[in-house]
Amino acid sequence: MSELGIVVTDIARADAAVVDALAAHGVATVHEAMGRTGLVGGSIRPIQQGVRVAGTAVTVLSWPGDNLMIHVAIEQCRPGDVLVVATTSPTTDGAFGDLFATALKARGVRALVTATGVRDTQDLREMGFPVWSNGVHAQGTVKATAGSVGVPVILDGALVNPGDVVIADDDGVVVVPRETAAHALAAAEARVAKEEADRAAYASGQLSLDRKGLRPLLDELGIRYVRQADRG
């Protein structure tokens, strides 16, 4: 677990142009392009649909049922950030609502990704502040326990370092390490070009079995083609 009681004030962030370019490719493409790494577990889901964002992570480590460190983290946020909240143990308490979102929007924060629950979800959708959370729950929280801001956290199995790129859309959330963001972008662009070629081939009627050269594998696995009448 990261050390508690620390607020890091000089987070090194990924290049903004790279972040914006990665956002255009989305979670699934970037995850595959990075060799299927960085994907946040499926417990973190969007409260809205049709939204795709990317930003640099400002990380928070909080105690369950306590949102004190979210208050602390707002001061450290800059335009283009995504606030990422992890907890010391599982919780679905509604640690975030429309007042927090109002403050974050004023600082140019693009989204929240949180291992907690959220509330005021209709208000959040109406104000256009996207959230990916561990659930929706009206249960309130206290402000009583020291956590940390700007430290490495684990978000449903994924390591998030402050300043990493966080991409979120309808498919979930993926984390791109700050140091390899440019490489991830190049890999994602190459994957997009390949998929465009595949899409054109499939639209023309070509089978994926042939385009991907899978027929020898079927032979190797002993898969047989038979007529229904011959099955007896």
Side-chain angles (χ1 to χ4, degrees), residues 4 38 52 63 78 88 116 160 164 193 204 209:
L4 297 172
R52 176 180 289 171
W63 288 81
R78 300 178 186 173
T88 57
T116 72
V160 188
D164 284 350
S204 70
L209 279 173

Side-chain angles (χ1 to χ4, degrees), residues 62-147:
S62 289
W63 288 81
D66 193 313
N67 68 2
L68 173 63
M69 299 313 294
I70 298 178
H71 288 273
V72 175
I74 292 172
E75 184 180 20
Q76 305 307 319
C77 291
R78 300 178 186 173
D81 285 341
V82 169
L83 189 64
V84 177
V85 180
T87 53
T88 57
S89 59
T91 179
T92 58
D93 291 347
F96 185 96
D98 70 306
L99 293 179
F100 271 146
T102 299
L104 289 174
K105 282 194 72 172
R107 300 185 74 84
V109 174
R110 294 177 173 175
L112 168 76
V113 177
T114 180
T116 72
V118 296
R119 57 186 186 178
D120 304 327
T121 53
Q122 180 178 344
D123 297 323
L124 293 171
R125 286 189 290 269
E126 289 177 351
M127 67 190 294
F129 188 81
V131 171
W132 285 256
S133 74
N134 188 33
V136 175
H137 198 185
Q139 176 65 51
T141 57
V142 300
K143 302 162 185 61
T145 315

Side-chain angles (χ1 to χ4, degrees), residues 28 30 34 46 63 111 124 144 154 185:
V30 174
M34 292 196 303
W63 288 81
L124 293 171
I154 301 295
L185 175 59

